[in-house]
Amino acid sequence: KGPEASAQRRGKMATTRGGSGPDPGSRGLLLLFFSVVLAGLCGGNSVERKIYIPLNKTAPCVRLLNATHQIGCQSSISGDTGVIHVVEKEEDLKWVLTDGPNPPYMVLLEGKLFTRDVMEKLKGTTSRIAGLAVTLAKPNSTSSFSPSVQCPNDGFGIYSNSYGPEFAHCKKTLWNELGNGLAYEDFSFPIFLLEDENETKVIKQCYQDHNLGQNGSAPSFPLCAMQLFSHMHAVISTATCMRRSFIQSTFSINPEIVCDPLSDYNVWSMLKPINTSVGLEPDVRVVVAATRLDSRSFFWNVAPGAESAVASFVTQLAAAEALHKAPDVTTLSRNVMFVFFQGETFDYIGSSRMVYDMENGKFPVRLENIDSFVELGQVALRTSLDLWMHTDPMSQKNESVKNQVEDLLATLEKSGAGVPEVVLRRLAQSQALPPSSLQRFLRARNISGVVLADHSGSFHNRYYQSIYDTAENINVTYPEWQSPEEDLNFVTDTAKALANVATVLARALYELAGGTNFSSSIQADPQTVTRLLYGFLVRANNSWFQSILKHDLRSYLDDRPLQHYIAVSSPTNTTYVVQYALANLTGKATNLTREQCQDPSKVPNESKDLYEYSWVQGPWNSNRTERLPQCVRSTVRLARALSPAFELSQWSSTEYSTWAESRWKDIQARIFLIASKELEFITLIVGFSILIFSLIVTYCINAKADVLFVAPREPGAVSY
């Protein structure tokens, strides 16, 4: 990532002044010189392979910045190198911090020790610490790990010291009570995650072979060392790095950008198509169903987000499918908008941008069109049948809003009554909203809204925004003997539970939109939920995901789970897959050809202002020899999820998110053996001596060349 310099080697061969070419001695020296150079060029890579063992499956901690701070990690510009020391228990730290005779050390830390207490000890002795490599732990039923803060998105929601001060800064409820805040600290040394157990075993074996002393004594050289490269270009804050990038872009022919704003796209669709080229009339009412798409962890682009994001947006996808199947949706008095916000982890990037666009007439739906707002929070870890309805106590001080919220809650309770597996519960009006997109809408306008979640107080999620918020965290498991295709269609208990929540949501949206006749017939499909969970949390490269994507997007799917970090290159894999999954679940397969699908304006009764058209790979034929591509027509669209702070060049804003990601040149990790300082010094002296000796010998030979290399005498002319 970032600019990479490349150099060209040029050589020039000089001839002797006499014009007769080099003498045999010079020719021999030149031949020897070029042979050595050629051997070096050809053998350089193989020599490097013999010295270094690259670690290919790692994830770095990178630098992020906002209006006031920098967080994350970085190495020095040439990488950081240290002797490996394995820390399996806290007592092992003593060798690294005080006793070890060969600092700096590269600590191989067991995942269970990656805690705030241990990291503060390492951070306090940076002169002896070169870096950190963290192994993956195996969470148990009692463990917990959340590197996020205890009050997520504090200061960017609705509550502040001037509005609802009794709720500001999570005074009444610490939503992420287990958060240790590690992901929001700044570390001056590199920290990498080791994702592959085999590479971890190689490192530990190297450590045992070379770095363990006998009977408690110091180990002898050579020692096993590790080198980490993760130098970051941006420093201090977003305002600083954006200003530097702006100056570079303005005055430099080849600008070097040092950071990029976090950005992506929101995914949205309408139950009934609307003309996106013009805004809705003020009297058109819309019910909003919202959730978030993104998560994060301490390490870059490792964001499984099973409970914090995936379960909720999968549930909303299933609800959208169920609602679109209702026979009278086209006659409902209100429309329904499904929104999947990106960047909510970083101070509500996606929702704040949509509110900004609505206020400024840059989005077809306006704030005044919103009738009610239903958001899905974390919903996969219900400890009982209860699903809690969170509302905002401040906006309900307005009697009109209070009555609207009361009607909204009553509709949800009525919808839940027909699903015995889900019991809707109210909370006291003295409790604040949890971190949610709804807060950004309430900052702009008093609307009736509710957040549905599996928790009444603090999160049930013990791994909120961590590397362990995986499929196992929400009990998505499969029988070991099944094939991947069987796993894809295996309906888990979690899928059934989320399908029940999706049914409640779909029925509630139907009634909120004015429906009365078919509420009880609306039912979310557990098969859809289980396929979505498998694709997002277990194996993205599966037959169903392949069938719903365009041909040129198939490379976005691999055999691992998708990661849900917002990043800076957009749209991300998650955004694309959610976009096409929603289109497949709510749209209609048409008979349009590929050319017509790409340009439907020439087809009667088709309109790009009303619909989006996608040419997808389609399912396999009956013989599974080829796919049957088709054109899908839907109302699914993308909307920019870039913080308004960057649109307005307000890089120090306290109103909008200012998160940016530093650029870097190289991310790399490798291990190798290092010699003692004394041996390195001796090697240097010997090499320098050989160089001087070679120069002297070469000079002497060149000075006596006319004696040492006598040219053969030319034969005389023969006359007849």
Side-chain angles (χ1 to χ4, degrees):
K1 191 174 182 182
E4 295 187 3
S6 61
Q8 294 182 335
R9 295 183 176 91
R10 296 181 175 90
K12 182 186 292 184
M13 178 158 53
T15 59
T16 58
R17 266 194 265 184
S20 59
D23 58 66
S26 299
R27 190 183 298 114
L29 288 174
L30 285 171
L31 181 61
L32 177 62
F33 172 76
F34 284 113
S35 298
V36 171
V37 170
L38 184 61
L41 291 174
C42 295
N45 288 335
S46 62
V47 171
E48 182 177 354
R49 286 196 297 269
K50 291 178 181 178
I51 297 175
Y52 300 104
I53 299 177
L55 305 174
N56 298 317
K57 295 183 179 179
T58 61
C61 161
V62 303
R63 175 167 291 165
L64 300 175
L65 311 99
N66 65 9
T68 56
H69 292 81
Q70 65 179 31
I71 63 173
C73 324
Q74 77 156 353
S75 72
S76 62
I77 194 168
S78 57
D80 290 325
T81 303
V83 176
I84 296 173
H85 188 74
V86 176
V87 176
E88 295 179 329
K89 53 187 182 297
E90 205 159 338
E91 292 76 17
D92 296 337
L93 287 172
K94 188 178 179 184
W95 181 268
V96 174
L97 300 177
T98 57
D99 295 352
N102 301 301
Y105 285 96
M106 192 66 70
V107 179
L108 181 63
L109 189 69
E110 291 292 318
K112 62 184 178 182
L113 295 177
F114 189 47
T115 63
R116 188 173 189 88
D117 289 342
V118 170
M119 292 305 295
E120 284 181 348
K121 291 178 182 178
L122 296 174
K123 194 176 180 180
T125 54
T126 53
S127 61
R128 294 182 60 87
I129 304 298
L132 200 65
V134 182
T135 65
L136 279 170
K138 292 184 179 178
N140 56 50
S141 58
T142 60
S143 63
S144 62
F145 177 71
S146 174
S148 185
V149 291
Q150 293 183 325
C151 189
N153 292 359
D154 185 24
F156 289 86
I158 187 175
Y159 308 113
S160 65
N161 294 332
S162 59
Y163 185 86
E166 65 271 30
F167 305 116
H169 314 303
C170 300
K171 287 179 182 176
K172 290 200 171 184
T173 306
L174 284 177
W175 295 108
N176 186 33
E177 198 170 20
L178 298 173
N180 59 32
L182 270 182
Y184 291 84
E185 293 286 330
D186 185 41
F187 295 92
S188 59
F189 49 81
I191 303 176
F192 277 54
L193 174 68
L194 301 175
E195 298 182 277
D196 186 10
E197 279 190 29
N198 292 327
E199 289 187 345
T200 302
K201 289 177 181 177
V202 169
I203 299 170
K204 288 185 175 181
Q205 188 62 51
C206 184
Y207 165 79
Q208 292 168 1
D209 292 343
H210 299 280
N211 294 10
L212 287 179
Q214 299 296 325
N215 301 321
S217 61
S220 57
F221 287 91
L223 299 177
C224 189
M226 181 183 293
Q227 189 172 34
L228 301 178
F229 297 86
S230 62
H231 181 67
M232 301 288 129
H233 294 174
V235 294
I236 303 177
S237 67
T238 296
T240 301
C241 78
M242 290 300 292
R243 185 170 60 250
R244 291 176 179 175
S245 296
F246 176 76
I247 293 172
Q248 283 271 340
S249 300
T250 305
F251 298 105
S252 176
I253 298 176
N254 297 308
E256 183 172 340
I257 308 302
V258 297
C259 68
D260 300 282
L262 295 180
S263 66
D264 198 358
Y265 287 87
N266 298 323
V267 181
W268 67 282
S269 74
M270 304 298 295
L271 181 63
K272 296 184 288 184
I274 63 172
N275 190 335
T276 57
S277 63
V278 295
L280 292 181
E281 295 297 326
D283 60 338
V284 178
R285 310 302 291 165
V286 175
V287 179
V288 177
T291 190
R292 67 172 56 188
L293 283 179
D294 68 304
S295 184
R296 70 164 301 199
S297 75
F298 186 88
F299 301 98
W300 181 75
N301 205 31
V302 181
E307 161 73 342
S308 59
V310 175
S312 57
F313 72 67
V314 162
T315 302
Q316 183 156 299
L317 285 168
E321 179 191 35
L323 182 57
H324 272 77
K325 290 179 179 178
D328 61 341
V329 291
T330 57
T331 63
L332 297 177
S333 59
R334 301 180 186 90
N335 211 336
V336 178
M337 181 170 75
F338 294 94
V339 190
F340 300 79
F341 290 116
Q342 264 286 11
E344 297 302 273
T345 299
F346 294 96
D347 299 337
Y348 306 118
I349 292 174
S351 56
S352 63
R353 178 54 184 267
M354 182 165 283
V355 170
Y356 174 82
D357 287 344
M358 286 181 171
E359 289 177 318
N360 290 278
K362 298 179 179 180
F363 193 77
V365 179
R366 309 292 179 86
L367 284 172
E368 55 265 28
N369 295 124
I370 298 178
D371 182 78
S372 53
F373 195 106
V374 182
E375 181 173 354
L376 281 180
Q378 300 180 71
V379 293
L381 293 177
R382 288 186 293 146
T383 54
S384 61
L385 301 179
D386 297 340
L387 187 65
W388 297 92
M389 299 183 291
H390 297 260
T391 58
D392 169 46
M394 294 300 297
S395 59
Q396 290 185 70
K397 291 181 179 181
N398 181 306
E399 194 65 28
S400 174
V401 174
K402 183 178 181 180
N403 292 334
Q404 292 173 15
V405 171
E406 180 63 33
D407 293 341
L408 174 59
L409 298 182
T411 301
L412 281 163
E413 288 172 334
K414 179 183 175 183
S415 302
V419 185
E421 295 83 2
V422 181
V423 178
L424 277 300
R425 297 287 189 191
R426 298 193 185 201
L427 286 161
Q429 287 191 7
S430 59
Q431 181 164 305
L433 278 172
S436 53
S437 306
L438 174 59
Q439 293 200 32
R440 291 301 303 193
F441 283 80
L442 288 172
R443 280 178 73 133
R445 184 183 179 90
N446 275 348
I447 58 178
S448 62
V450 63
V451 178
L452 303 178
D454 56 23
H455 55 89
S456 58
S458 298
F459 299 156
H460 289 167
N461 189 0
R462 294 176 292 115
Y463 303 108
Y464 180 72
Q465 291 181 4
S466 89
I467 55 179
Y468 303 118
D469 190 10
T470 59
E472 290 76 13
N473 185 36
I474 60 172
N475 303 312
V476 174
T477 56
Y478 303 90
E480 294 182 0
W481 59 84
Q482 289 187 169
S483 66
E485 193 66 23
E486 290 172 327
D487 287 346
L488 172 65
N489 296 292
F490 179 78
V491 180
T492 63
D493 291 339
T494 299
K496 295 175 184 176
L498 292 179
N500 290 328
V501 175
T503 298
V504 172
L505 176 61
R507 292 180 180 181
L509 294 173
Y510 175 77
E511 295 189 16
L512 289 170
T516 56
N517 299 326
F518 299 98
S519 179
S520 59
S521 65
I522 295 175
Q523 187 78 37
D525 186 1
Q527 188 77 41
T528 295
V529 177
T530 206
R531 285 180 169 184
L532 289 167
L533 289 175
Y534 180 80
F536 284 111
L537 295 176
V538 181
R539 185 187 177 98
N541 187 16
N542 60 73
S543 59
W544 190 60
F545 272 14
Q546 288 284 2
S547 70
I548 64 175
L549 288 182
K550 293 195 298 184
H551 183 270
D552 54 353
L553 294 179
R554 59 180 181 173
S555 61
Y556 280 56
L557 306 178
D558 57 31
D559 293 336
R560 299 182 300 170
L562 288 172
Q563 302 301 320
H564 311 294
Y565 172 64
I566 179 175
V568 297
S569 56
S570 55
T572 60
N573 298 13
T574 299
T575 301
Y576 270 132
V577 176
V578 169
Q579 176 192 6
Y580 282 91
L582 183 59
N584 180 79
L585 295 172
T586 62
K588 180 181 179 181
T590 67
N591 294 323
L592 299 181
T593 65
R594 183 170 186 170
E595 291 72 23
Q596 291 173 328
C597 194
Q598 293 171 345
D599 185 14
S601 60
K602 300 177 181 178
V603 182
N605 302 322
E606 301 292 348
S607 171
K608 289 223 57 162
D609 290 334
L610 295 177
Y611 299 101
E612 281 287 309
Y613 298 82
S614 304
W615 186 259
V616 300
Q617 293 189 94
W620 290 106
N621 62 9
S622 56
N623 298 327
R624 295 186 65 84
T625 55
E626 61 179 355
R627 292 191 175 274
L628 304 174
Q630 56 190 3
C631 182
V632 175
R633 182 183 65 200
S634 71
T635 62
V636 181
R637 301 177 187 273
L638 300 180
R640 198 80 173 97
L642 171 68
S643 172
F646 297 98
E647 289 284 306
L648 303 169
S649 296
Q650 296 176 358
W651 303 321
S652 298
S653 173
T654 56
E655 169 70 15
Y656 299 112
S657 171
T658 55
W659 285 104
E661 181 185 275
S662 173
R663 287 197 179 187
W664 57 82
K665 183 176 181 180
D666 191 24
I667 297 291
Q668 185 181 358
R670 58 190 184 182
I671 63 173
F672 55 98
L673 296 180
I674 59 170
S676 65
K677 298 295 182 183
E678 294 80 4
L679 181 57
E680 289 178 346
F681 181 75
I682 292 172
T683 304
L684 175 64
I685 296 300
V686 170
F688 187 72
S689 301
I690 293 174
L691 173 63
I692 298 299
F693 177 76
S694 300
L695 292 174
I696 294 172
V697 171
T698 303
Y699 174 78
C700 294
I701 292 175
N702 189 58
K704 300 294 184 180
D706 55 339
V707 177
L708 296 174
F709 307 103
V710 179
R713 183 173 301 175
E714 293 184 4
V718 180
S719 58
Y720 295 94

